[in-house]
Amino acid sequence: MTTMSDRSSTPHDDHVGADDVATARVDVDGMAELLLGRWPDVRRRARARAGESFYAKDEHLTPAEHRERTLEQMRAMVDSDDKISWLAFPERLGGFDQPGANLACFTELVAADPSLQIKSGVQWGLFGAAILHLGTPEQQDRLLPGAMDLSVPGAFAMTETGHGSDVDAVGTTATYDPQSEEFVIHTPFRGAWKDYLGNAAVHATAATVFAQLITNGVNHGVHCFYVPIREQGADGRAGAFLPGVGGDDDGLKGGLRGIDNGRLHFDHVRVPRTDLLARYGSVAADGTYSSPIESPGRRFFTMLGSLVQGRVSLDGSAVTAAKLGLAIAVKYGAERRQFAGVGGDEVVLLDYATHRRRLFPRIAEAYAGHFANERLLDLFDDVFSGQNDTPERREDLETTAAALKSTSTRFALDTLQECREACGGAGFLTENRITSLRADLDVYATFEGDNTVLAQLVAKRLVADYGREVKGATRTPAGMARFVVERATDAALHRTGLRRVTQAIADVGDPRRAAGHLRDAETQRELLADRVATMVEEVAVAMRPALKAEPAEGARILDENQVALVEAARAHADLLRWEAFTDALSTIEDTGTRLVMTWVRDVFGLTVIERNMAWYLLHGRLSDQRARTVTGYVDRLLRRLRPHAVDLVDAWGYGPEHLRAKIASGAEAERQAEARSYYKALRASGDAPVSEKSLRKQQASRR
């Protein structure tokens, strides 16, 4: 176990007052309780399950064995008394109608095995959710029970080999035949094969298939169909493909080997008219199409928006995986000693500035990601529970989910790699979990939407909102005048360097004054929010000519601004996470804990500013003095956090049964204690050999 000296060892920080040193602490139990969020009881149950050995990933299984074990684990979840996998489903069918609680629990399964989490997500969060959110009540009653109890393992057949994120362009067709009252599902070319589908290679007996709905010669766009794909034996196991259905196993993957990803294709497969999931579009017996949403574009985005829970859950899951890696690396770093220090003892890794720099800002970002995901879960639950389901809230949910998922999944991958390296060769061993976690998380960057595409979606929403604001503000002569004056003031303040001059005068060359401004929450928020607003305005102005341009010219303008769009979206995600973290500080009752967590929040905010320092200098938002102060102040904050590092990761609530890494088990502390004891006894015995270096010094002193 980590010793008290290892927890508290820290370089001296002259900028921390005596009162702060005495007050600063982390109430680990209290913080862990707070982090359980809005649904603490169900999250506890899910986390306890993730810690059971039955659900733990077995690294020694072959892919075929791993696939069968994962299905077995899912069946055990269905058979459990709490039916925790049914949280999102309707009460009338045995569920609990708790969509937010469901996703909070889902993220905990990463600690058991990411393959279990994703395969569960395919069955209940994609296949089942498509029936739930795109089907009518009659279709739910008829089709959901089999999805819920796993008597019908299912695949979610949206992605095609030739079309991933561009769902609107899928090639599979569903053509209505009024004589038989059936849809004919057909894959007209190889690129239209449904691909990378969980459950499709072995276990699925049905699929929710997305295809272009064609009736009476009119293509009404992408809709979802319930399609049986395999025979099912008396033992419930999947058999051969049904007539007209074919497919392949995707084969060995870089991770998630407990999931049977595969391909499906259809050769004029007929399904009843009643198996078009018809909540947003239906076809009458004579082939007449009708929908409660008149606009084809809005209908399409409404249907896809109904399936946003995948992005919400991946956001939380990525943060959880990052926490696991950081907990392992920090616990190891608090025990592992390397290179002799003052007094002869080797130095604990976390006492090195470089080690603090590589891990502590990531702890801060993991906390920011956690609090942002809690907000996202609240928004998701408000919409899908029906408490506050409006078009505006759905649009906010889709945009926020895209912003956070694209940010947290990238963060998790980078963090797990940094944790691996921070643990040296030990981090490369499978027994220490980190490389396996990273391999399994790799696909999260493109799963449920490629991160770069999602960032563009976010930015387009921000630009559209800006356009509406400008239009509203300039509708009257007075509004136009105010807008022009504000633009001129901004140019005078930032683009001529007046802001930087003002900051320099205020700081009068004293770094402590500059640091005082930087730790102010309003200063941090202004810097983060101003970057978003300025980037959005700049890209909106640059793209304005595209509105009246010919298609080719419009495409060129968009292409020129794609990178700027993505950067604006990332800046927006940083602001969302900082604001969520800041709001969460007010819910921490313990004074010492709130002080430490405020330092953690400051580390997050200031490291975001630090890595974008060139932007702040080029745009006149920071003086040279304050820019130079940022890095020094962050380093001081990291020294302050050194005594609390282990407590900060312990507060996430993941014990040895979740981490399952030998280097985080206390074994390293035992090895270090043994070595120190050995050398101490050797020195005391008088039998310790004299080093050549010491001998030479002695000889030189006698001359």
Side-chain angles (χ1 to χ4, degrees), residues 469-480:
E469 289 175 8
V470 170
K471 187 176 181 179
T474 58
R475 191 164 292 165
T476 65
M480 175 64 79

Side-chain angles (χ1 to χ4, degrees), residues 408-534:
S408 62
T409 52
R410 180 73 263 161
F411 164 69
L413 291 174
D414 292 344
T415 295
L416 290 168
Q417 181 63 27
E418 193 68 54
C419 289
R420 205 295 290 162
E421 295 178 25
C423 294
F428 193 60
L429 299 180
T430 300
E431 70 177 18
N432 290 320
R433 194 82 191 280
I434 299 173
T435 54
S436 176
L437 267 176
R438 196 197 182 285
D440 285 338
L441 265 287
D442 200 336
V443 75
Y444 284 36
T446 50
F447 188 31
E448 292 290 326
D450 175 273
N451 284 349
T452 301
V453 175
L454 291 182
Q456 291 180 65
L457 182 154
V458 174
K460 288 176 182 177
R461 164 76 188 278
L462 296 175
V463 169
D465 285 351
Y466 170 82
R468 284 191 289 268
E469 289 175 8
V470 170
K471 187 176 181 179
T474 58
R475 191 164 292 165
T476 65
M480 175 64 79
R482 279 195 302 273
F483 179 73
V484 171
V485 169
E486 288 170 0
R487 289 286 300 276
T489 302
D490 178 78
L493 185 60
H494 298 300
R495 296 167 197 173
T496 64
L498 288 177
R499 161 77 52 113
R500 284 174 288 190
V501 171
T502 303
Q503 290 177 357
I505 292 172
D507 298 339
V508 289
D510 188 343
R512 288 174 296 182
R513 292 194 181 186
H517 287 287
L518 291 170
R519 65 172 171 256
D520 178 68
E522 283 304 312
T523 299
Q524 292 177 33
R525 189 191 186 286
E526 179 185 357
L527 288 168
L528 294 171
D530 180 59
R531 182 165 182 261
V532 177
T534 302

Side-chain angles (χ1 to χ4, degrees), residues 293-302:
I293 303 174
E294 185 175 349
S295 165
R298 191 159 67 86
R299 184 189 314 133
F300 171 72
F301 285 111
T302 300

Side-chain angles (χ1 to χ4, degrees), residues 244-272:
V245 180
D248 293 329
D249 192 321
D250 275 324
L252 199 61
K253 307 186 299 293
L256 297 178
R257 296 184 179 184
I259 305 174
D260 53 316
N261 293 88
R263 307 179 184 95
L264 296 175
H265 55 89
F266 306 92
D267 185 5
H268 298 92
V269 174
R270 290 179 171 265
V271 297

Side-chain angles (χ1 to χ4, degrees), residues 315-467:
D315 172 48
S317 302
V319 173
T320 297
K323 289 178 185 175
L324 295 170
L326 285 164
I328 293 167
V330 167
K331 287 175 180 291
Y332 181 63
E335 297 173 352
R336 179 80 160 94
R337 293 175 178 272
Q338 189 87 19
F339 304 111
V342 178
D345 270 344
E346 290 184 296
V347 179
V348 175
L349 292 184
L350 288 187
D351 285 347
Y352 288 109
T354 50
H355 218 72
R356 294 193 296 273
R357 259 289 177 169
R358 71 194 313 179
L359 294 180
F360 289 12
R362 295 185 179 278
I363 294 174
E365 191 162 355
Y367 269 103
H370 173 96
F371 292 125
N373 182 254
E374 287 294 310
R375 272 190 169 186
L376 182 58
L377 287 175
D378 284 341
L379 180 56
F380 175 82
D381 193 76
D382 284 351
V383 169
F384 281 88
S385 67
Q387 295 178 27
N388 191 5
D389 186 4
T390 65
E392 293 77 15
R393 293 288 281 179
R394 285 198 172 230
E395 190 174 10
D396 288 343
L397 172 61
E398 291 162 17
T399 304
T400 305
L404 294 180
K405 182 268 176 186
S406 60
T407 303
S408 62
T409 52
R410 180 73 263 161
F411 164 69
L413 291 174
D414 292 344
T415 295
L416 290 168
Q417 181 63 27
E418 193 68 54
C419 289
R420 205 295 290 162
E421 295 178 25
C423 294
F428 193 60
L429 299 180
T430 300
E431 70 177 18
N432 290 320
R433 194 82 191 280
I434 299 173
T435 54
S436 176
L437 267 176
R438 196 197 182 285
D440 285 338
L441 265 287
D442 200 336
V443 75
Y444 284 36
T446 50
F447 188 31
E448 292 290 326
D450 175 273
N451 284 349
T452 301
V453 175
L454 291 182
Q456 291 180 65
L457 182 154
V458 174
K460 288 176 182 177
R461 164 76 188 278
L462 296 175
V463 169
D465 285 351
Y466 170 82

Side-chain angles (χ1 to χ4, degrees), residues 20 24 595-603 637 640-641 644:
D20 286 344
L595 175 61
V596 174
M597 292 306 298
T598 300
W599 294 342
V600 176
R601 189 279 314 276
D602 290 349
V603 167
L637 285 171
R640 293 183 197 178
L641 292 175
H644 312 289

